[in-house]
Amino acid sequence: MSAIRITDLTKRYGEIAANDGISFAVGRGEIFGYLGPNGAGKTTTIRLLLGLIKPTSGTAKLLGADIRDRRALTAAKADLGYLPDTLGFEERLTGREALDYFSRMRGDERRDELLELFDPPLEQRIETYSAGNQRMLGIVQAFMHDPTVAILDEPTAGLDPLKQDRMHAFLEAERDAGKTIFFSSHVLSEVQRVCDRVGIIREGKLVALEDINDLLERGGKEVRVQLTESVDERAFVTEQMIDVETVDSTVRFTYTGEAAALLDHLVRFEIDDVDIGDPQLDDIFKHYYGDETPSEGR
Amino acid sequence: MTAIFRLESRKRVRSSTVLVAVFALLSALYFSMFPGIQDEMDVFEEAFPEYMFELFGIEAIHTVEGFIAAEIYAFFWVLLVAIYFAYIGAGLIASDIQNRTMDLTLSNPVSRESVVLQKVAALWVPLVALNVGVSIIVYVGALVIGESFDPVSLAMAHLLSVPYLLVCAGIGLVLSVLIDHVRTARATALSIVFALWLVDSVSSVDPEYEWIGDLAPSRYYDPTAILVREEYALLDAGILLAVFLVLVAIAVFVFTRRDI
C-alpha cells in the first residue's frame, strides 16, 4: 500500500485551478520531492492531503484513509508528521510548552533525540523566536511522535546551512528506517540532493514525475569545450546541442544526445580541454518553465 | 483528548483576572458612594420619568440591592461582560484560522468537532472566575458598608447569568466559523450583542413594541428582578441554554464542512 496515493485531485477556486487533475503515489520508504515555484499549487496539494480543504473532484489517500472520510483521516493523523510552510504556533507559549501541547495529542517518544539535532531555545516564548528557531521547533514537533509519514512544506526555509545539512542527513536516515517523506520545495539543489523521486508541479498541473536520476539523465549533459582556436559555430554545433554559449574559443552547451556520438564529433576538432558533467536541476527546470527561473522569494 | 481544552483554559486566565479586578474597582466605587447618596435616591426616583428607569432596568434604587443591581449588574454585567464573551467567542476559531494555528492543530488526530467543543468548554474559566469573584466582591462590599445581600438571590443573579453569557459567546462562535478575519468577526459579534441589548432596552419602554425585545437574549436575564424581587426566571434561563446549544451545533456544522 502506498503511503500517499493521489488520484485526479482537483481544487478550483472559481475559474482558477490551484490543483488540476493531479495523480501520483508515494511509496513507503521514499523521499518524494514535490517541486515547483511559489504559487504553483504545492501547498494546496498538501492542505488537501491534510483535509484542511476539500477537493473539487478527485481524491487522495493518506495511509489508506480517504481524505473525504473525515473520521478515517483524523485517525490516520496519529501516524502523520506535518511541518507547514507558515508555522502557526501559539506564540505566548514557550517552545517546551508547545511541544508538551502536541505531545498530549500524539506522543513524543523521540523528542529528546530530535532536540539534540535541532535545538531551539525551549524556555523562551515562541514570539521571541527567529525564523530558524521556529523552523527547528516545527521539525521537532513534526517528528517527535515517530510518524510513518511526514509531510514537509518548505522544511528548510529559514534554517542555517549547518542545520539544513543536518535536516537532509536526518531525512535520509528516516527514509532508510522505512519512513515516507513528502517534501515540498522550490529549492532545486535541495531536492536534487535528498529526494529519490520528484514530481514537478506548474500552474496546478503535474508536468513531470520521475526518478531523480532519470530526470538528470533526461536533462542531458552539461558540456564545456575549450578549443585551441576560435571555431566556426555553424560547423561545430549539432542538433543535439542546446543552450549553446560561445565565448572566444570556449563553447558551453547542454548535450541531449548519446555520449559516444558527442565524443565522435569532438575528435574532429583541435581541443585543449573538455568538461562533461550532470546538469543542475535548475537547468532541467528551464525545460519545464522556459527561461523563467523559479523565484526564490516568497 | 484534553490538550486543546487545557491550552484554551490557560489563555482565558489573564483577561478573566483583569475583568474581576475591574469589577472590584467598580464595586469599591459604588459601595463607597452608596451611603452618601442613599437619601438622595428618593429625590432621584421622583425627578426622572419612569421610562428612564425602564430603559436601564432600575428599580428600588434606594436599597443596596436596587442600587447595585442598577449600577453593576443591569449595565456592566449585562452589557460589558456579555460583550467580553461575544469577543472571546468570535476569536475562538477565526483567530486560529487567520494565524494558521488551525493548520497545526488539525494535523493532530483530533476532529474538528472536538476542537470546537474543547474551545467552548474552556469558557469555564471566565465563567467561574467572574461569577465567583464578583459575587464575593459584592457580598463582602455590602458587609463593609454595613449593608447586606441575600446570598441566595446574589448567587442566583450570577447563576442565571451563565446561560445568557453563553448565548453571547455562541453568537461570537457562529461568526467565528463564518468570518475569516478575526477583527471583522469580533467587531460584528460586539455590534450584534450591543444592538440586541439596545433593542431590548428601548423596546421595553413602550408596551406596544415590547415584543421586539423578545428576540434579545438580555430579555431573558433580569438581574434587577432577581436581586430586588427575588424572581428566578428558570424557564428563561432554560430558553437561553437551548439557544446556546443550537448556536454551538450550528458552529460545529459549519466548521466541519468548510475549507480552512
Side-chain angles (χ1 to χ4, degrees):
Chain A
M1 182 179 71
S2 304
I4 296 170
R5 174 171 295 282
I6 296 176
T7 314
D8 206 20
L9 194 61
T10 300
K11 179 67 179 177
R12 287 182 190 284
Y13 293 100
E15 290 295 297
I16 299 156
N19 274 192
D20 192 356
I22 288 179
S23 299
F24 63 87
V26 182
R28 305 235 171 188
E30 166 172 58
I31 303 181
F32 183 85
Y34 198 40
L35 198 57
N38 292 319
K42 304 189 296 290
T43 298
T44 299
T45 308
I46 288 174
R47 300 183 89 245
L48 282 163
L49 278 174
L50 284 159
L52 296 173
I53 50 179
K54 286 192 299 286
T56 308
S57 64
T59 189
K61 281 187 171 184
L62 177 68
L63 288 166
D66 193 308
I67 58 168
R68 296 168 304 181
D69 179 351
R70 292 196 306 116
R71 207 172 286 266
L73 187 62
T74 298
K77 284 174 183 173
D79 249 340
L80 169 77
Y82 172 49
L83 179 61
D85 58 343
T86 307
L87 285 157
F89 289 116
E90 291 283 351
E91 303 235 301
R92 288 276 179 82
L93 299 182
T94 65
R96 184 178 307 287
E97 287 165 346
L99 293 180
D100 289 345
Y101 168 65
F102 290 117
S103 78
R104 280 186 205 110
M105 288 188 267
R106 38 169 217 236
D108 63 348
E109 59 265 35
R110 295 185 69 189
R111 187 203 290 210
D112 294 339
E113 174 196 342
L114 281 154
L115 285 172
E116 279 174 24
L117 294 173
F118 307 101
D119 50 356
L122 287 184
E123 306 308 328
Q124 285 178 26
R125 284 186 172 196
I126 295 170
E127 61 196 355
T128 69
Y129 276 25
S130 65
N133 280 333
Q134 283 217 23
R135 189 66 51 187
M136 286 200 283
L137 189 66
I139 293 169
V140 174
Q141 68 79 29
F143 286 98
M144 69 181 182
H145 55 300
D146 202 21
T148 313
V149 176
I151 294 180
L152 315 173
D153 200 353
E154 303 279 357
T156 57
L159 286 186
D160 65 53
L162 173 72
K163 293 293 187 328
Q164 287 191 13
D165 287 345
R166 265 191 202 176
M167 179 68 176
H168 294 152
F170 174 76
L171 293 180
E172 280 162 8
E174 289 303 291
R175 184 255 327 269
D176 295 343
K179 305 294 169 52
T180 304
I181 315 281
F182 182 95
F183 183 122
S184 107
S185 181
H186 68 274
V187 182
L188 309 162
S189 55
E190 176 171 70
V191 169
Q192 188 171 1
R193 172 167 167 197
V194 295
C195 296
D196 304 312
R197 225 152 46 90
V198 60
I200 298 179
I201 180 171
R202 177 191 182 184
E203 288 169 8
K205 286 198 170 81
L206 196 71
V207 291
L209 182 66
E210 306 192 61
D211 191 283
I212 195 85
N213 295 324
D214 291 347
L215 193 67
L216 292 173
E217 216 166 274
R218 184 95 79 77
K221 292 287 176 190
E222 203 76 340
V223 185
R224 187 183 64 87
V225 181
Q226 177 84 51
L227 298 142
T228 48
E229 57 192 30
S230 325
V231 68
D232 181 1
E233 224 181 83
R234 277 170 300 178
F236 184 79
V237 173
T238 67
E239 270 185 8
Q240 287 79 25
M241 297 180 190
I242 57 172
D243 298 338
V244 182
E245 276 178 58
T246 311
V247 180
D248 290 335
S249 53
T250 306
V251 188
R252 290 169 179 276
F253 55 90
T254 302
Y255 193 75
T256 57
E258 292 292 315
L262 173 64
L263 292 175
D264 280 346
H265 178 67
L266 291 181
V267 293
R268 287 189 264 149
F269 299 87
E270 294 287 322
I271 283 169
D272 270 351
D273 194 16
V274 178
D275 213 16
I276 301 177
D278 281 329
Q280 290 297 304
L281 210 45
D282 294 79
D283 296 318
I284 299 173
F285 228 59
K286 277 189 193 163
H287 299 302
Y288 294 107
Y289 290 104
D291 283 337
E292 193 187 328
T293 43
S295 66
E296 295 286 318
R298 2 187 75 247
Chain B
M1 292 299 261
T2 58
I4 297 169
F5 171 68
R6 289 165 72 163
L7 177 65
E8 290 291 318
S9 299
R10 211 184 119 170
K11 281 160 70 178
R12 301 281 89 86
V13 170
R14 189 204 295 225
S15 60
S16 303
T17 315
V18 170
L19 262 184
V20 171
V22 167
F23 271 94
L25 289 172
L26 282 173
S27 304
L29 178 74
Y30 285 117
F31 277 116
S32 62
M33 275 166 61
F34 182 68
I37 60 170
Q38 185 174 14
D39 299 334
E40 296 162 31
M41 281 303 163
D42 294 334
V43 186
F44 182 75
E45 283 181 357
E46 281 162 23
F48 284 88
E50 182 103 355
Y51 72 84
M52 283 294 289
F53 296 102
E54 282 182 6
L55 187 62
F56 294 105
I58 296 170
E59 39 183 288
I61 201 165
H62 58 279
T63 65
V64 72
E65 290 89 354
F67 181 72
I68 292 302
E71 301 299 345
I72 302 241
Y73 288 96
F75 182 71
F76 287 106
W77 196 268
V78 168
L79 189 59
L80 198 71
V81 177
I83 280 180
Y84 168 73
F85 272 85
Y87 177 88
I88 293 182
L92 287 180
I93 303 296
S95 72
D96 280 15
I97 290 179
Q98 194 176 329
N99 63 27
R100 304 293 286 273
T101 310
M102 194 57 82
D103 286 24
L104 265 182
T105 304
L106 290 178
S107 74
N108 293 289
V110 56
S111 67
R112 293 193 186 191
E113 289 90 338
S114 175
V115 171
V116 174
L117 296 178
Q118 289 189 61
K119 280 171 172 276
V120 169
L123 291 174
W124 77 274
V125 172
L127 282 176
V128 170
L130 279 162
N131 282 302
V132 172
V134 174
S135 60
I136 290 172
I137 288 165
V138 168
Y139 189 73
V140 172
L143 292 179
V144 168
I145 61 162
E147 297 277 351
S148 73
F149 262 90
D150 173 18
V152 175
S153 59
L154 183 60
M156 289 305 278
H158 282 278
L159 188 65
L160 296 182
S161 78
V162 170
Y164 167 67
L165 297 175
L166 285 175
V167 166
C168 296
I171 291 170
L173 178 67
V174 168
L175 293 166
S176 196
V177 297
L178 289 173
I179 301 174
D180 281 339
H181 281 92
V182 65
R183 288 175 66 176
T184 315
R186 281 175 173 153
T188 313
L190 303 196
S191 311
I192 289 177
V193 167
F194 180 72
L196 286 171
W197 174 81
L198 211 59
V199 164
D200 175 29
S201 302
V202 173
S203 69
S204 65
V205 172
D206 189 336
E208 207 174 315
Y209 295 103
E210 199 172 359
W211 59 271
I212 299 174
D214 288 353
L215 292 169
S218 53
R219 178 62 55 90
Y220 301 85
Y221 170 64
D222 185 352
T224 307
I226 297 170
L227 289 170
V228 176
R229 301 198 296 271
E230 291 170 30
E231 289 174 9
Y232 310 140
L234 297 177
L235 180 64
D236 284 357
I239 292 171
L240 289 175
L241 210 53
V243 171
F244 164 68
L245 293 176
V246 169
L247 290 172
V248 171
I250 292 171
V252 167
F253 181 85
V254 174
F255 183 59
T256 50
R257 278 157 185 82
R258 60 161 288 181
D259 281 1
I260 288 169

